[in-house]
Each structure stands twice: as structure tokens, then as C-alpha cells.
Amino acid sequence: MSDKVFRTCPITRLERFGRETVLWIQAPDIAAKAVAGQFVMVGLPRPRANFLKRAISIHAIDGAEVALAVLTVGDVSVALSRLTVGDPVEVIGPLGNGFDLDIQGRPVAMVAGGIGHAPFRFLAAALADRTKDITLYAGGRDRAALSGLGWADKMGLKTVLASEDGSIGQGGYVTDLLGDLSPATQVYVCGPLPMLRSVQALALARAIPCQLSLEGKMACGVGVCLGCTCARPDPTEAYAKVCTDGPVFWAEEVKLDG
Ligand code: FES
């Protein structure tokens, strides 16, 4: 019996930060069931409904409201960002497995590239009764790419920033900030594939427990289209489906090609 919800949800709030838009939707069933790291498939309302929905990670839960952070790149996300309060969106979810929260007393490092910070707000809330020692390492192209991180300050996370143009934080990539990462740390990572690959390699080399939140190319979000598959380190093992086996994997569980 599936516990996924497929319904039309009204937008209740909109927040805009640089190229990001946070859509708050009224979705009590999803808010009640979701765990940190899960995602929803979101589409435009009819009659503008696009056949393809976008996979968007759950950014936060507030009572019966669910927040979705959208980077305004591509047709669907630009159209979503142009909706206004009261407009409905089509939503399926919650989907995927979510993060493993068993940090065993370790300090937590969240490593985010661009919109990859989106699932970490929900994760930080989920970890709040387990640790106060959370550092968010966030990188992006420029100051605008990092303007949606106010939630981290409000939640009391330590933040360490890197921007490619040097306009905020250290100049360069977020991976440049991780040189001192200790094996005693629990790492969570979300962002572009090269960044994921780089942090995965670092974690495996230093035996740092590390969970990767993958995006994949999700057309269906429910294990049907096979568009999101990801290789396993053991070539004899079947490919993982990011949408149903993930989107969260331990660093040892996947081989990140391409
Ligand atoms: Fe269709 Fe994963 S998105 S199988």
C-alpha cells in the first residue's frame, strides 16, 4: 500500500532569494508523512500542466505547509517561480528514502553546492535533538547563489561559504573548504555531480561516514521510467534507481560517472 499523496496543493507563501524561489504549499498529508531527504514531484496546474513534473527536495515543514526551494533554471522551474499565492500546483509525494539520522554523537558537516542546500534545512530540523554541532559548507557561483541561506543562520548553524567569483566567503569551490574534515564527522552532501564525486572521493579516502543526496534525471519519480539510474561500485549489481532506492546513498553504495 503506497503512502504517497497525489493532489493539488495551493501556494500559501512565496519567498525569493536571488535565483531561488521558495514555494510554501498547503499539503497536510505530505507534511505529516515526510522525512528529511525525501522529495516531491511538482507540476504546473491544469490547463498549463506539463507532462513532465520536476523533482524537488523538501526544504522545510511548518505545520501543514511544505516548503520547496526551486532554482529558476529551465522551463518548469521558471514557470513555478512565476506562480503567485493561491495558485495550485500538482504534487506527488513524499518520495524516496530520506537521510539516515543515526549520527552516533558525531558533529555534522553539510556540504551544499548551489540549490543543494535545499534538503539541509529539513535535515537540520530533524537533527536538532541529536546535535547542536552542525556546520554548513555552502558554495555557489556568486553572492546571489548563496542568498537563500538565511535559514541556516536562524537555526544556529555554523556556515562556511565559498563563491567562484570571490564575492562572498572564500574564493573558489566549496570542496576547497573541506581540507580539514575529520573522520569523526558525519557528512551529508547535495549538489552538482562533480562536487558530489569530489566529496565522495574525499570521504572514502579518509573513511568519513558520508551520505550523498543525488538528483538524477527524474521523469517519473516512482521507479517506472528508468531515467534516473545510477551505477553501483560492484558491476555485477543492478543499477540503483535514484528515485526509489535513493535519493540518499552512502558514499560506498554508488559509482558516480558522467
Ligand atoms: Fe523514473 Fe526514477 S525517475 S525510474
Side-chain angles (χ1 to χ4, degrees):
M1 177 67 188
S2 170
D3 60 355
K4 295 187 258 305
V5 176
F6 178 18
R7 63 184 43 186
T8 303
C9 303
I11 294 172
T12 54
R13 287 185 263 166
L14 282 164
E15 298 164 334
R16 299 186 199 280
F17 307 100
R19 293 180 286 273
E20 295 177 20
T21 300
V22 177
L23 300 172
W24 287 87
I25 59 172
Q26 185 77 13
D29 296 348
I30 295 173
K33 290 175 181 157
V35 297
Q38 287 190 298
F39 65 98
V40 292
M41 297 298 290
V42 182
L44 296 170
R46 293 186 180 83
R48 288 179 289 167
N50 190 313
F51 286 115
L52 288 181
K53 290 184 164 51
R54 267 285 308 273
I56 301 176
S57 57
I58 297 174
H59 184 45
I61 304 283
D62 183 3
E65 292 177 284
V66 175
L68 308 169
V70 180
L71 182 64
T72 48
V73 173
D75 291 350
V76 178
S77 56
V78 169
L80 285 171
S81 71
R82 289 184 179 150
L83 297 175
T84 58
V85 170
D87 284 341
V89 290
E90 305 281 331
V91 182
I92 306 172
L95 301 169
N97 59 353
F99 293 110
D100 186 336
L101 304 180
D102 185 11
I103 60 172
Q104 301 181 7
R106 295 167 176 271
V108 167
M110 300 175 180
V111 185
I115 193 67
H117 74 87
F120 292 151
R121 180 171 173 179
F122 193 8
L123 177 62
L127 291 173
D129 61 353
R130 296 174 187 250
T131 183
K132 300 281 177 258
D133 192 350
I134 302 176
T135 304
L136 173 66
Y137 297 90
R141 201 192 319 164
D142 51 22
R143 179 177 287 271
L146 298 168
S147 60
L149 299 175
W151 64 265
D153 292 330
K154 285 186 192 139
M155 294 180 75
L157 274 58
K158 288 165 272 185
T159 55
V160 187
L161 306 181
S163 56
E164 290 169 38
D165 70 353
S167 57
I168 187 168
Q170 178 175 308
Y173 295 105
V174 66
T175 46
D176 299 337
L177 305 172
L178 307 178
D180 295 331
L181 212 54
S182 154
T185 309
Q186 168 64 57
V187 176
Y188 297 92
V189 195
C190 186
L193 189 56
M195 189 207 83
L196 286 167
R197 236 192 264 122
S198 172
V199 182
Q200 180 191 35
L202 178 77
L204 292 176
R206 295 190 194 169
I208 303 172
C210 176
Q211 297 174 47
L212 313 165
S213 178
L214 308 188
E215 286 190 341
K217 293 191 177 81
M218 296 197 203
C220 74
V222 292
V224 175
C225 72
L226 303 184
C228 66
T229 54
C230 177
R232 299 284 197 177
D234 177 353
T236 65
E237 206 178 331
Y239 275 43
K241 292 179 187 172
V242 173
C243 63
T244 51
D245 297 321
V248 181
F249 296 90
W250 287 93
E252 297 79 5
E253 293 182 320
V254 284
K255 185 167 182 290
L256 300 178
D257 292 322

